[in-house]
Amino acid sequence: MHWKNNLTALLGIQYPIIQAPMLGITSPEMVAAVSNAGGLGSLPVGNMDATAARAAIHKTKSLTAQPFAVNIFAYDIPISPEQTAFDAMQTLLQSTYSRSGLGVPVVDLKTLHLNSYKDILPVLTEENIGIVSFTFGIPDDAGLALLQQSGVKMIGTATSVEEAVYLEQKGMHVIVAQGAEAGGHRGTFMNNGLPQIGAMALIPQVVDRVGVPVIAAGAVMDGRGVVASLMLGASGVQPGSAFLLTNESMASGAHKAAIAASTDTSTRLTRAFSGRWARGLYNTLIAAVEESEIQILPYPYQDALTQPARKASKAQDNPSFVAMWAGQAAGLAKGQISSGDVVRALIAGAEELLPSLKVN
Amino acid sequence: MHWKNNLTALLGIQYPIIQAPMLGITSPEMVAAVSNAGGLGSLPVGNMDATAARAAIHKTKSLTAQPFAVNIFAYDIPISPEQTAFDAMQTLLQSTYSRSGLGVPVVDLKTLHLNSYKDILPVLTEENIGIVSFTFGIPDDAGLALLQQSGVKMIGTATSVEEAVYLEQKGMHVIVAQGAEAGGHRGTFMNNGLPQIGAMALIPQVVDRVGVPVIAAGAVMDGRGVVASLMLGASGVQPGSAFLLTNESMASGAHKAAIAASTDTSTRLTRAFSGRWARGLYNTLIAAVEESEIQILPYPYQDALTQPARKASKAQDNPSFVAMWAGQAAGLAKGQISSGDVVRALIAGAEELLPSLKVN
């Protein structure tokens, strides 16, 4: 099978397999393992400060000499919610934690420090990062100009044709088309509701409307998903859930066990954890927030408010308050395997399907 | 390209292209055109009485000597809603019709006659129908036995792995895996919410769990969708929206124009028309029902209540009260084309992709 195409040439990689950036799950070790296997690892630094982002980049560089992408959350921080709304949500969450016997520090809205992607952009150019991917939108024009001047290849994330067309107009070199099947946060950034376009519908319609290479995201778990995505017109794929159970995944044991036991109908879209829509497995935190009908705070305030509980819950390997992001095919994920082996299995699976190509 | 497989052999067809049954859209002429082109036409007779079903079958037989499927809605009619709930919905609808200047007959719950699939089953065996597909579940055991004794090949519709496994256990020879992208009614029949699994996630997970051939439904609009579905493990495809604009489609001019102008984000799932979830384009009826927050009646009562308005609206080529079912890729539909040409284009598109197979 012929793996060289416009995408691999542009990014300087061997195989058009891009590991999805999964903040809290993707370690530098995962990124390096994917890149060392000939794919493109993606290091998520969204919501980190510049120092932490630089440290993660240094760590990754120490593990691979191959190209990898750095992923940032390119959104403008909205104005602070009302203190009363913040308090109402915090009161609900604290009472839920207490009922579960989990001690979680209180978050103070007044002293809350929220990091901006703008602080990370200079780090990327200083560190000679060659590929940057964006979620929740793209940087402002000054930020885009900085990256463009440095020759950075930019990957935007779209959940609709309209978003994809906009991203190409703004100079993205590659567009990820994120199908509704995908686990984790929807990359949606236009204020027209929440597109839930399945990959089978989204990819060909995006490919028909943009000139840059398109990467398919959503439910790519094995060679079947790779080949299907390519047949729909994508130039590459961005699996995420396929890496959840790997040795390099930072998912807790409880999270991994829940993923392994999940089925096609186990996931839901929720705003309970972060204030943005994301797909994952149901648990105590989602139930508490959604059943309460208390107003969910806008991202990233809800995210900041649930962060200490996610950390405490994970430390105890308790799945109740961890954001167990998962796609609709996460149940197909293989465990006790390295992230490099996932890349190799995706390629081998695709090659097995293609040479013997026939209607089965 | 090699088109013979387990599905085409089982059904006695040349190509594994099954035209989706679309009640109100699919004419006998469409069914015959598809079957005459080597695919499998599907004649929808759901909610018809036995006489109408027999007439539609006779008409189709007069137009093709090839196999075609008959599709029935295999559900048990639920108990009647309360008269007050029925009246509340009817009052809302009538006031909405009036505001649009549309005269619509009032529906009388007390004299409402609802047809059962059980009346149609004997017609199918008497008419020597060889292939029957089911939506909203499957017949009761007596019904299944009748069809099995007659050697009928049975096709069930699943929207989740759980439903697919059940259908195989109940003797279905083929399973349609309906992705969330699909237009029209969700075939969901288990009472576990509304699965919205994208085809990219649903098809491989269903294929992994059942032994019978799987047909992929949802967003199959051209050769790309055909090949992608086959690569995911399906044995065939069931396009619906691809036939909406054909010469043999009974869609009104206004419905066709709305489809042609639709984009990936134009559709939504709604219960407003029938009481069951279905995907289509937004219009006046959906807006009125959803915004009112008046309780939607269970299927088929809501369906019976909106039926006269759909008919009157269609007669005036007014899109306001027509159920404009459409999938998430319906905007790719070709118009001014015969349904046979749609089949030929799907095959030609797939064959064009496959011989020159390479990563694009």
Side-chain angles (χ1 to χ4, degrees):
Chain A
M1 187 166 166
H2 184 69
W3 288 107
K4 276 189 189 148
N5 67 7
N6 51 359
L7 181 69
T8 56
L10 184 76
L11 302 180
I13 57 179
Q14 191 177 354
Y15 301 117
I17 310 285
I18 292 81
Q19 159 254 314
M22 299 179 284
L23 190 65
I25 300 293
T26 300
S27 61
E29 288 77 9
M30 180 187 290
V31 176
V34 170
S35 289
N36 287 337
L40 183 75
S42 305
L43 180 71
V45 300
N47 291 347
M48 286 185 190
D49 64 21
T51 305
R54 195 186 297 273
I57 289 169
H58 284 182
K59 175 73 177 170
T60 307
K61 282 181 173 175
S62 77
L63 298 169
T64 183
Q66 300 302 314
F68 62 91
V70 175
N71 176 264
I72 63 176
F73 293 165
Y75 66 94
D76 290 320
I77 299 171
I79 57 163
S80 176
E82 297 287 331
Q83 185 70 51
T84 51
F86 191 87
D87 291 346
M89 181 54 71
Q90 178 139 271
T91 302
L92 166 75
L93 290 170
Q94 283 290 342
S95 75
T96 310
Y97 305 150
S98 295
R99 276 200 303 279
S100 293
L102 190 72
V104 177
V106 168
V107 178
D108 183 355
L109 176 61
K110 291 195 187 66
T111 60
L112 194 62
H113 179 74
L114 298 168
N115 298 308
S116 167
Y117 74 90
K118 293 179 187 178
D119 299 331
I120 295 180
L121 294 184
V123 175
L124 303 182
T125 56
E126 286 159 27
E127 293 291 337
N128 290 312
I129 297 299
I131 306 169
V132 178
S133 66
F134 306 117
T135 309
F136 306 149
I138 52 175
D140 61 12
D141 288 347
L144 290 178
L146 175 71
L147 296 177
Q148 263 158 343
Q149 283 155 19
S150 305
V152 171
K153 299 290 182 288
M154 301 187 291
I155 304 176
T157 303
T159 59
S160 67
V161 171
E162 185 183 13
E163 289 181 343
V165 168
Y166 175 82
L167 291 175
E168 181 176 40
Q169 284 169 352
K170 296 296 280 185
M172 294 299 108
H173 303 95
V174 177
I175 292 167
V176 172
Q178 185 192 34
E181 299 89 341
H185 279 97
R186 308 285 302 140
T188 302
F189 61 92
M190 286 186 166
N191 288 320
N192 296 325
L194 180 73
Q196 293 184 47
I197 318 299
M200 190 73 77
L202 181 64
I203 299 167
Q205 291 183 93
V206 167
V207 167
D208 284 351
R209 290 291 300 280
V210 301
V212 298
V214 172
I215 295 170
V220 176
M221 299 299 295
D222 53 31
R224 295 175 291 189
V226 174
V227 176
S229 297
L230 298 176
M231 291 296 105
L232 290 173
S235 299
V237 294
Q238 184 173 284
S241 296
F243 294 98
L244 279 174
L245 305 188
T246 62
N247 301 334
E248 298 84 7
S249 163
M250 295 192 291
S252 67
H255 183 174
K256 286 184 174 182
I259 294 291
S262 72
T263 73
D264 57 327
T265 56
S266 297
T267 72
R268 64 161 57 200
L269 289 167
T270 183
R271 289 179 59 231
F273 273 102
S274 77
R276 283 189 189 264
W277 289 104
R279 183 178 295 286
L281 304 179
Y282 198 61
N283 66 0
T284 306
L285 188 137
I286 296 175
V289 171
E290 293 188 354
E291 286 168 16
S292 78
E293 298 186 10
I294 291 173
Q295 192 190 340
I296 295 174
L297 306 174
Y299 186 91
Y301 296 96
Q302 183 78 13
D303 190 70
L305 191 48
T306 65
Q307 198 271 339
R310 286 182 272 141
K311 191 173 169 186
S313 187
K314 187 170 180 176
Q316 296 187 11
D317 202 12
N318 171 351
S320 300
F321 303 100
V322 172
M324 296 194 288
W325 301 146
Q328 290 183 332
L332 298 178
K334 302 269 189 306
Q336 299 185 304
I337 185 174
S338 84
S339 297
D341 284 337
V342 170
V343 174
R344 286 182 281 273
L346 288 164
I347 294 297
E351 292 185 339
E352 196 181 328
L353 263 179
L354 283 187
S356 63
L357 197 67
K358 63 182 184 72
V359 182
N360 74 331
Chain B
M1 187 165 167
H2 185 69
W3 287 109
K4 277 191 189 147
N5 67 7
N6 52 359
L7 180 70
T8 57
L10 184 76
L11 303 180
I13 57 178
Q14 191 177 353
Y15 302 116
I17 310 285
I18 291 82
Q19 159 255 314
M22 299 179 284
L23 191 64
I25 300 292
T26 301
S27 61
E29 288 78 8
M30 181 188 289
V31 176
V34 169
S35 288
N36 287 337
L40 184 74
S42 305
L43 180 70
V45 301
N47 291 348
M48 285 186 193
D49 63 22
T51 305
R54 195 185 298 271
I57 289 168
H58 284 182
K59 176 73 177 171
T60 307
K61 282 181 173 174
S62 76
L63 298 169
T64 183
Q66 300 301 314
F68 62 91
V70 175
N71 176 263
I72 64 177
F73 294 165
Y75 66 94
D76 291 320
I77 298 171
I79 57 162
S80 176
E82 297 288 332
Q83 184 72 49
T84 50
F86 192 87
D87 292 344
M89 181 54 72
Q90 177 139 273
T91 301
L92 166 75
L93 290 170
Q94 283 290 342
S95 75
T96 310
Y97 305 150
S98 296
R99 275 201 303 280
S100 293
L102 190 73
V104 178
V106 168
V107 178
D108 183 356
L109 177 60
K110 291 194 187 69
T111 60
L112 195 62
H113 179 73
L114 299 168
N115 297 307
S116 167
Y117 74 90
K118 292 179 187 178
D119 300 330
I120 295 180
L121 294 184
V123 175
L124 303 182
T125 56
E126 287 159 26
E127 294 290 337
N128 291 311
I129 297 299
I131 307 168
V132 178
S133 66
F134 306 117
T135 309
F136 306 149
I138 53 174
D140 60 14
D141 288 348
L144 291 177
L146 175 70
L147 296 177
Q148 262 157 344
Q149 283 155 18
S150 305
V152 171
K153 299 290 182 288
M154 300 187 291
I155 305 176
T157 303
T159 60
S160 69
V161 170
E162 186 183 14
E163 289 181 342
V165 169
Y166 175 82
L167 290 175
E168 181 176 39
Q169 284 168 351
K170 295 297 281 186
M172 295 298 110
H173 303 95
V174 177
I175 291 167
V176 172
Q178 186 192 34
E181 299 89 341
H185 280 96
R186 306 287 303 140
T188 303
F189 62 91
M190 286 185 166
N191 288 320
N192 296 325
L194 180 72
Q196 293 184 48
I197 318 299
M200 189 75 78
L202 181 64
I203 299 168
Q205 292 183 92
V206 168
V207 167
D208 284 352
R209 289 290 300 281
V210 302
V212 297
V214 173
I215 295 171
V220 176
M221 299 300 295
D222 53 32
R224 294 175 292 188
V226 174
V227 176
S229 297
L230 298 175
M231 292 296 105
L232 291 172
S235 298
V237 295
Q238 184 172 284
S241 298
F243 293 98
L244 279 174
L245 306 188
T246 62
N247 302 334
E248 298 83 7
S249 163
M250 294 193 291
S252 67
H255 184 174
K256 286 185 173 181
I259 295 292
S262 72
T263 72
D264 57 328
T265 57
S266 297
T267 72
R268 64 160 56 198
L269 288 167
T270 182
R271 289 179 61 231
F273 272 102
S274 76
R276 283 190 189 263
W277 290 104
R279 182 177 297 287
L281 304 180
Y282 197 61
N283 66 1
T284 307
L285 189 138
I286 297 173
V289 171
E290 293 188 354
E291 286 168 15
S292 78
E293 297 186 10
I294 291 173
Q295 192 190 339
I296 295 173
L297 306 174
Y299 185 91
Y301 297 97
Q302 183 78 13
D303 190 69
L305 192 47
T306 65
Q307 197 272 338
R310 286 182 272 139
K311 192 173 166 186
S313 188
K314 187 171 179 176
Q316 296 187 10
D317 202 13
N318 171 350
S320 300
F321 302 99
V322 172
M324 296 194 289
W325 301 145
Q328 290 183 331
L332 298 178
K334 301 271 191 303
Q336 299 186 303
I337 185 175
S338 83
S339 298
D341 284 338
V342 170
V343 174
R344 285 182 281 274
L346 288 164
I347 295 297
E351 292 186 338
E352 195 181 330
L353 263 177
L354 284 186
S356 63
L357 198 65
K358 61 181 186 70
V359 181
N360 75 330

